[in-house]
Amino acid sequence: MKRFLLCAGALLLMISCKETNVFQQEWKTPYGTAPFSRIAVADYVPAVKAGIEAQKAEIAAITACPDAPTFENTVAAYELSGDLLARVTGVFFNLSESDSTPEIQAVEEEITPLLSDAENEVFMDPAFFARVKAVYEAMDGLDREQQMVTKKLYERFVRNGIGLPEAEQARFKEINTRLAVLSQQFGKNLLAENNAFKEETGVTVSAYPSFMTECADRAQREKAFLAYSSRGNHGNANDNNAIALEILRLKAEKAGMLGYPDAASFILSDKMAGDPATVDAFLGGIMAAAMKKAKAEVADMQKVMDADPTVEKGAKIQPWDWFYYAEKVRKARYDLDEAETKPYFAADSVKKGLFYAANKLYGIRIEPAPEVEVYNPVVEAYRLSDADGSLLGIFYMDWFSRDTKRGGAWMNNFRDQYVAADGTEVRPVIVNVCNFPPPADGQPSLLTVDEVQTAFHEFGHALHGFLTKCRYRDVSGTSVARDFVEMFSQFNENWAFQKEILAVYAHHYQTGETIPDALVEKIRAALRFNQGFMTGELCAASILDMRWHELSAEELAAFTDAQSVRDFETKVCAEMGLIGEIIPRYRTSYFNHIFNSGYSAGYYSYLWSEVLDLDAFEKFEREGLWNPELARSFRETFLEKGGSEEPMTLFRSWRGGDPDPSALLRGRGLL
Ligand SMILES: [Zn+2]
């Protein structure tokens, strides 16, 4: 039986689509996963265009529906529209990040404005909005998930300027299109700058921290630091300062049009934190604690440097000394050496640990799925199933760095979870992408402690995506407020170095010996080491992000060139009390998160979510790490719910109270 009563027009059009390329054909593959080997670069643009047209027709059918607007014939019908578009963009935007080529980049340039225009058209459509508004204003009788979906859709229109006079709407649309192009250019420039950094220093961006930790030559470290921290800042064709400024101006202008004083106020209005003042106060408190600790860390490092015969007498610790001397202090204090721990963290072993923890906590099983095609020979496919054997989803693991992949680590969906029009449940297809060192010379990839944490982090996002039990894709899985989503990835990190887990996975790749208890103790103690620096650079980037987005359009008009950007950074760093030995984790010209990745006025989310995750984890510590009841309630309250309820409501219902901000300072050893 059909669950949803749709108006018929949309379905007719879908059938009439010509099956010209692979995206428009039925995928008779295991679990309906993408047939990568059959996809040609030339398929993307026509498929995107056809997908846009198909969704347009589906929406036209919704607005042409003669019946009064209801949740089913309007909001649910919209949720079920755009299948073709979701399918092609699901593949394309994953590959453009992890397996990009100049041809893919050219496609991205072509389709980005098309998609942005199409989205504008949908969310500037007064007839469609009128129906959504009617449902929104009478949503009392809907269930909670339906209310959340309706609210999200309604707000999307409002935030896209549907309430503006016509002339302003045209400008608004122009801004959105321009922003899409600028963001993409920012990312493209950064990729070129990352490659130039590698050419100049022989070090990849992802290997920078380990290079800085190991390189004993101070002059070489200084050179690498200067090259790293000036990416996008060379006054050449890849300079990102002007692009960043234009993005900021346009965002401020948009916010102003919608009645907000600045971009941050607008962006935060639908987040868990709510407004800039709340975020500023939150970050200010962390910064103060972090700097107190960081000053002590500098003093410790200075002693080691003073005793270093290779360094000129009287030299002071500089930003390029931090990684190197912090490691020396760490070795001295905890007698811990990455070279000693890495052999226990071969990539394949870490994978076992990830899967074991997920099984033990949530009862899920993860098995190789060799029948599922992958997009690159190094990618692995897995099938996840629940304790009762039912399918949870398909998982691609793409862990190793390569030239075609951007830096960093992330989780993404190829396909979202939702309930289809015929009532069958579509399970998600999810990827974890990392930049771990590829296996080489017959030796497996050996991960650092930090990389092990990254593996657990990204898999935490994946679990959030896999365990979801929603009906509508707009709220399923990780489709939650940005300052809530990192709670689940960071929560999963807590399991990486638990003794029981380590006993399962941390075996020496040559001898098979389990990691010794003494080494485990050292790792656990060392995790709280250097947190003044780690927290400081993260918090500094978060504050820099906020300060940029707290400027009004008028204030931003005063910035004229790259120097004015650098001067602002200097001023902001001084005001936040950042010590000279630390720079923000990202400077403006290479702050991809905020200029090309949807984290504008949102980089604080990592710290914000960490309060939630550590507070939740403390409950597990109190009531039993492997307490099955607790894990079940965590799964049911959070992981299954996605965005079908307000985050704070979920948190309070599970925790029995508000999150405790000091959990973060305790967790990081800053109290
Ligand atoms: Zn994350």
Side-chain angles (χ1 to χ4, degrees):
M1 199 187 79
K2 274 183 73 159
R3 275 184 75 118
F4 302 108
L5 299 170
L6 297 176
C7 288
L11 296 172
L12 288 175
L13 188 110
M14 286 305 285
I15 293 159
S16 73
C17 268
K18 282 192 208 105
E19 295 188 351
T20 48
N21 75 34
V22 65
F23 289 104
Q24 288 162 278
Q25 294 157 7
E26 192 191 337
W27 290 349
K28 291 179 183 142
T29 52
Y31 312 104
T33 49
F36 295 108
S37 59
R38 284 172 47 217
I39 297 172
V41 174
D43 289 333
Y44 290 117
V45 174
V48 165
K49 286 181 178 166
I52 288 172
E53 287 311 313
Q55 191 173 33
K56 254 188 209 174
E58 288 167 316
I59 289 170
I62 296 172
T63 53
C65 182
D67 304 337
T70 63
F71 176 82
E72 297 296 347
N73 73 20
T74 302
V75 179
Y78 170 72
E79 283 290 313
L80 289 168
S81 74
D83 268 349
L84 174 57
L85 198 55
R87 184 187 244 201
V88 56
T89 53
V91 171
F92 181 79
F93 286 107
N94 271 294
L95 299 195
S96 72
E97 301 274 276
S98 60
D99 222 10
S100 189
T101 59
E103 293 75 36
I104 291 272
Q105 282 183 19
V107 170
E108 190 169 358
E109 270 171 47
E110 189 172 350
I111 65 173
T112 300
L114 296 180
L115 290 166
S116 158
D117 283 352
E119 192 179 316
N120 266 317
E121 203 170 308
V122 174
F123 292 100
M124 287 286 193
D125 179 342
F128 185 24
F129 179 60
R131 292 186 71 92
V132 172
K133 190 165 182 255
V135 178
Y136 174 78
E137 285 171 350
M139 64 179 189
D140 284 354
L142 302 178
D143 68 33
R144 193 61 187 138
E145 181 173 352
Q146 291 171 333
Q147 287 179 353
M148 290 297 284
V149 173
T150 305
K151 179 169 166 262
K152 200 169 174 180
L153 183 59
Y154 171 81
E155 285 177 354
R156 210 162 152 194
F157 278 97
V158 174
R159 296 173 78 79
N160 203 47
I162 191 87
L164 297 173
E166 218 167 291
E168 285 185 42
Q169 279 192 9
R171 173 64 187 150
F172 205 86
K173 191 177 156 187
E174 198 177 277
I175 293 176
N176 283 345
T177 306
R178 180 78 185 139
L179 278 173
V181 172
L182 287 168
S183 300
Q184 194 203 323
Q185 187 62 42
F186 189 97
K188 214 175 132 190
N189 288 349
L190 183 53
L191 193 63
E193 286 288 279
N194 288 349
N195 290 335
F197 171 77
K198 189 184 163 194
E199 294 244 309
E200 189 186 340
T201 61
V203 180
T204 62
V205 164
S206 53
Y208 171 76
S210 33
F211 170 78
M212 295 299 274
T213 305
E214 286 155 21
C215 176
D217 182 335
R218 192 166 188 239
Q220 226 182 318
R221 286 202 308 271
E222 180 177 2
K223 189 183 156 207
F225 169 82
L226 294 175
Y228 183 88
S229 60
S230 63
R231 284 173 296 146
N233 216 339
H234 291 122
N236 58 12
N238 297 323
D239 193 293
N240 267 336
N241 286 296
I243 294 176
L245 281 178
E246 193 180 346
I247 290 175
L248 289 164
R249 280 195 202 103
L250 293 174
K251 287 195 170 163
E253 186 184 344
K254 245 176 96 164
M257 290 168 85
L258 295 172
Y260 293 89
D262 50 63
S265 302
F266 167 57
I267 291 165
L268 288 163
S269 62
D270 69 348
K271 302 299 178 297
M272 198 172 171
D275 56 64
T278 304
V279 176
D280 290 346
F282 170 72
L283 293 174
I286 296 171
M287 196 65 186
M291 286 306 100
K292 200 171 145 208
K293 186 83 181 214
K295 284 174 191 161
E297 289 166 3
V298 172
D300 288 342
M301 294 190 296
Q302 189 67 53
K303 278 185 216 146
V304 182
M305 193 163 100
D306 288 347
D308 186 340
T310 67
V311 175
E312 169 196 350
K313 229 178 153 35
K316 294 279 166 232
I317 291 281
Q318 297 296 329
W320 49 89
D321 295 318
W322 200 295
F323 285 101
Y324 182 74
Y325 286 104
E327 180 63 13
K328 296 263 178 273
V329 175
R330 189 167 75 133
K331 267 185 200 164
R333 188 163 303 167
Y334 301 103
D335 190 25
L336 185 69
D337 184 345
E338 289 276 14
E340 205 185 330
T341 59
K342 271 180 164 182
Y344 295 97
F345 299 132
D348 279 339
S349 306
V350 174
K351 232 173 272 173
K352 274 189 204 126
L354 283 184
F355 295 171
Y356 176 85
N359 173 269
K360 183 129 173 113
L361 279 170
Y362 310 115
I364 65 176
R365 285 207 312 273
I366 303 155
E367 295 143 324
E371 70 277 23
V372 171
E373 203 185 314
V374 290
Y375 55 89
N376 184 297
V378 307
V379 177
E380 294 173 344
Y382 292 89
R383 177 189 195 275
L384 273 74
S385 44
D386 212 341
D388 65 2
S390 59
L391 178 74
L392 286 169
I394 297 300
F395 183 44
Y396 303 121
M397 274 185 127
D398 183 359
W399 268 14
F400 305 119
S401 61
R402 57 178 168 266
D403 290 346
T404 53
K405 195 188 271 189
R406 79 163 165 86
W410 61 94
M411 165 272 193
N412 203 359
N413 280 56
F414 274 76
R415 183 174 76 200
D416 292 327
Q417 180 268 339
Y418 65 102
V419 177
D422 63 4
T424 56
E425 195 188 350
V426 176
R427 291 306 308 176
V429 178
I430 288 172
V431 64
N432 270 180
V433 186
C434 301
N435 271 286
F436 299 152
D441 307 326
Q443 185 173 299
S445 169
L446 301 175
L447 307 189
T448 62
V449 167
D450 193 47
E451 286 165 339
V452 173
Q453 277 181 307
T454 300
F456 275 79
H457 178 104
E458 298 309 333
F459 195 60
H461 282 309
L463 288 172
H464 195 193
F466 281 123
L467 293 172
T468 182
K469 276 189 183 170
C470 291
R471 273 170 294 163
Y472 307 102
R473 50 182 146 197
D474 252 3
V475 295
S476 78
T478 54
S479 298
V480 301
R482 202 180 43 194
D483 51 5
F484 185 46
V485 75
E486 297 299 331
M487 170 176 171
F488 307 101
S489 48
Q490 294 175 163
F491 177 77
N492 204 51
E493 285 180 38
N494 291 307
W495 268 265
F497 302 109
Q498 296 300 333
K499 275 187 187 152
E500 179 176 350
I501 296 281
L502 287 163
V504 170
Y505 81 87
H507 304 297
H508 196 285
Y509 79 102
Q510 286 164 320
T511 65
E513 174 214 10
T514 304
I515 192 165
D517 279 353
L519 195 51
V520 174
E521 281 311 319
K522 284 185 206 168
I523 291 175
R524 289 170 60 86
L527 282 176
R528 288 187 175 182
F529 173 68
N530 204 30
Q531 282 298 330
F533 171 80
M534 304 282 275
T535 314
E537 62 155 18
L538 177 59
C539 195
S542 309
I543 294 173
L544 178 62
D545 165 34
M546 288 303 294
R547 292 292 173 276
W548 273 127
H549 290 93
E550 282 166 352
L551 295 172
S552 65
E554 295 73 43
E555 286 166 326
L556 280 160
F559 292 84
T560 48
D561 55 13
Q563 191 54 48
S564 62
V565 173
R566 294 190 284 265
D567 290 346
F568 182 74
E569 282 180 355
T570 308
K571 179 172 143 283
V572 169
C573 290
E575 283 169 359
M576 70 173 88
L578 187 67
I579 58 174
E581 293 86 352
I582 300 178
I583 64 164
R585 181 176 288 182
Y586 301 101
R587 291 184 61 200
T588 308
S589 61
Y590 54 94
F591 209 154
N592 198 62
H593 278 83
I594 67 168
F595 294 112
N596 180 37
S597 195
Y599 270 73
S600 44
Y603 198 62
Y604 75 93
S605 302
Y606 292 94
L607 289 164
W608 183 271
S609 295
E610 195 172 318
V611 168
L612 307 177
D613 106 63
L614 289 174
D615 195 14
F617 185 67
E618 285 183 352
K619 189 172 160 82
F620 273 82
E621 284 183 316
R622 283 193 303 272
E623 298 176 18
L625 279 188
W626 305 103
N627 180 333
E629 260 314 290
L630 195 58
R632 188 191 52 75
S633 72
F634 188 82
R635 172 180 173 165
E636 286 174 1
T637 309
F638 295 115
L639 299 172
E640 290 182 0
K641 290 281 193 321
S644 62
E645 179 54 277
E646 297 289 354
M648 197 57 104
T649 308
L650 294 179
F651 192 90
R652 286 185 184 131
S653 78
W654 184 79
R655 174 71 170 78
D658 281 346
D660 172 11
S662 57
L664 180 138
L665 301 182
R666 275 195 298 279
R668 288 181 170 248
L670 297 174
L671 266 188

